[in-house]
Amino acid sequence: MFKKIDHVGIAVKNLEEAIKVWEGLGFKVEEVEEVPDQKVKVAVIKVGESRIELLEATSEDSPIAKFIEKRGEGIHHLAIGVENIEEKLKELKEKGYRLIDEEPRIGAGGAKIAFVHPKSVTGVLLELCERKE
Ligand SMILES: C[C@@H](C(=O)O)C(=O)SCCNC(=O)CCNC(=O)[C@H](O)C(C)(C)COP(=O)(O)OP(=O)(O)OC[C@H]1O[C@@H](n2cnc3c(N)ncnc32)[C@H](O)[C@@H]1OP(=O)(O)O
Ligand SMILES: [Co+2]
């Protein structure tokens, strides 16, 4: 059911500056994409079978803006690749996990994504991600 760690999301104040820092480490940004539905701009770094997602808010009311206001820059969410996101959401709902998204939404790279509330997952914002590889 779980395929792999799809990506780790990192909240950053300024994407261009963050890209310089991460590329200085030797990583390579594959693409930069805006995801208006999530009010974010994303820089994707491939690391083996997983990714690092650098996230900048595109509006004041972006979840990333609120997160940085409260906690500063840092790890924001953990995304796990799943075979069938609808099935997983149904299972977690039945088990009483607090779903932020009852239905999947479209995320970076056209993946189907849905979030589970951090209060239900030991303080971790969990993203389920179904991606056509
Ligand atoms: C591009 C796409 C993709 O992969 O394709 C993405 O990733 S988009 C990535 C951006 N989109 C998202 O994050 C969408 C899902 N996120 C949300 O719906 C929101 O950010 C929530 C997670 C519901 C939090 O929003 P809310 O307005 O409730 O903020 P809040 O500060 O009042 O947070 C409520 C409680 O959750 C905690 N909290 C908030 N954000 C957290 C996070 N990222 N990790 C762990 N805990 C977190 C706060 O500390 C607070 O706990 P205390 O009360 O104990 O202080
Ligand atoms: Co993500």
Side-chain angles (χ1 to χ4, degrees):
M1 193 51 162
F2 289 120
K3 291 167 68 174
K4 63 180 180 181
I5 292 179
D6 186 86
H7 62 273
V8 175
I10 297 176
V12 297
K13 288 183 184 129
N14 178 296
L15 203 55
E16 289 321 309
E17 276 159 41
I19 289 172
K20 284 198 195 92
V21 169
W22 284 85
E23 292 202 326
L25 289 164
F27 293 99
K28 176 102 190 68
V29 167
E30 301 281 330
E31 65 245 357
V32 176
E33 176 186 352
E34 201 157 330
V35 183
D37 180 43
Q38 295 289 343
K39 301 174 183 157
V40 295
K41 199 162 128 189
V42 184
V44 178
I45 295 169
K46 285 203 179 104
V47 186
E49 64 169 14
S50 298
R51 290 167 167 88
I52 293 169
E53 224 182 54
L54 303 175
L55 299 149
E56 178 189 274
T58 50
S59 65
E60 301 262 299
D61 62 343
S62 164
I64 295 300
K66 190 161 181 186
F67 177 86
I68 289 178
E69 215 176 278
K70 192 162 184 181
R71 296 166 158 220
E73 295 186 317
I75 292 181
H76 177 262
H77 64 275
L78 172 65
I80 303 293
V82 292
E83 294 290 343
N84 183 316
I85 193 163
E86 286 85 359
E87 245 172 59
K88 197 64 195 172
L89 283 168
K90 186 168 167 292
E91 178 204 328
L92 296 186
K93 185 171 166 97
E94 281 157 10
K95 287 179 177 174
Y97 286 87
R98 192 170 148 197
L99 301 183
I100 295 167
D101 303 297
E102 301 264 335
E103 301 291 324
R105 301 160 76 166
I106 301 301
K112 288 202 287 188
I113 67 171
F115 288 89
V116 184
H117 201 282
K119 289 292 178 201
S120 283
V121 189
T122 62
V124 173
L125 176 58
L126 178 67
E127 177 185 329
L128 303 174
C129 181
E130 183 185 321
R131 189 185 300 284
K132 298 275 162 286
E133 291 300 346

